[in-house]
Amino acid sequence: MIPPVIQRCRRLLLALRDEVSAELNRLQAQGIIDALDSFPWISNLVVVRKKTGSIRICVDPREVNKAVIPDNCKHPLPAIDELASFIAASVFWQLDFSQGYLQIPLTEKGRSTTAFISHDGIFQFKVMLFGLSTAPSQFQKIMVSTLADLKGVSIYMDDIVVYGATQEEQNRRFLLSWIAYKNAK
C-alpha cells in the first residue's frame, strides 16, 4: 500500500487568479467539485488554456496514479480499422460529448484521491477527472456498454460516429443512440 501524498500548493500567476477562482466557483455550482478542509491525498492544480481562450481546471495526479489499482478488466480502446467501419456509409454524424469524463460520477471511495489544492483552498472532484490512469479505459467501457447494441455506431471515448447508407437510416440510428445515452444517465 502506498501512503497518501499531500503536495504543496503550486504558485499560480496573479494574472490567472480571478479566472481560476471564477472557474472553481462555476464547477462548485455545477456539482463537479466540493470544497474540503483537508484530505489524505492532495494533488496540485493544473490550469490549461483551451483553444477558445477559456481555462480548464485539471489536477496533476502523478502521485495518485502510483497508488491506483490497475483496471483488472481493462477495456481496450478500438483500433483504427474497427473505427473505420463507417467508411462504406454515405451519411454520418460525429458527436463529441463535451467534457465527457465530467459526466461520470465517482463513488465516495473514488473521490478520495481527487482532492487538489489551489489559492482558494482544497477541493475534490465528484466526477471522473482527466489524468487518472484508469479513466480512458473506464470511460470507453461505459460508452460501449451504453451504446453496444446499436448498429451504425462507432465509439472512441467521447467521440461517437453514427452512420448509415441513407439519411433516413442515419437519422434513425442517431435517434436510437441519443435515447440510449439519455436513458443511461
Side-chain angles (χ1 to χ4, degrees), residues 14-172:
L14 289 175
L16 285 176
R17 283 192 178 202
D18 289 344
E19 199 173 357
V20 169
S21 292
E23 181 65 2
L24 290 171
N25 288 334
R26 184 186 74 77
L27 292 172
Q28 260 189 298
Q30 288 186 338
I32 292 172
I33 62 173
D34 275 335
L36 302 170
D37 292 326
S38 67
F39 228 70
W41 285 95
I42 299 178
S43 299
N44 278 305
L45 172 75
V46 177
V47 179
V48 177
R49 179 79 55 193
K50 298 192 287 187
K51 290 179 186 177
T52 62
S54 61
I55 62 169
R56 172 178 287 148
I57 299 294
C58 300
V59 174
D60 178 0
R62 281 182 276 190
E63 294 300 320
V64 170
N65 281 335
K66 292 176 185 177
V68 170
I69 298 170
D71 189 359
N72 291 335
C73 37
K74 200 168 195 128
H75 195 85
L77 297 178
I80 193 67
D81 57 333
E82 294 172 295
L83 293 173
S85 62
F86 62 83
I87 290 176
S90 57
V91 182
F92 63 94
W93 285 0
Q94 179 186 1
L95 308 170
D96 182 2
F97 287 103
S98 177
Q99 299 180 343
Y101 283 10
L102 301 183
Q103 298 177 40
I104 308 298
L106 292 175
T107 63
E108 287 293 328
K109 184 178 179 184
R111 295 176 190 178
S112 67
T113 59
T114 69
F116 63 94
I117 191 165
S118 77
H119 65 286
D120 283 339
I122 300 170
F123 299 87
Q124 77 172 354
F125 274 85
K126 296 167 61 175
V127 295
M128 187 182 292
L129 67 149
F130 301 95
L132 285 179
S133 59
T134 58
S137 172
Q138 288 296 316
F139 189 79
Q140 181 72 17
K141 185 173 161 182
I142 290 166
M143 292 307 294
V144 167
S145 67
T146 302
L147 304 173
D149 297 331
L150 300 175
K151 291 183 180 179
V153 177
S154 287
I155 304 163
Y156 185 78
M157 309 250 299
D158 64 346
D159 291 312
I160 316 273
V161 176
V162 182
Y163 55 91
T166 66
Q167 185 70 49
E168 290 171 355
E169 180 181 55
Q170 189 275 339
N171 287 346
R172 186 174 61 256

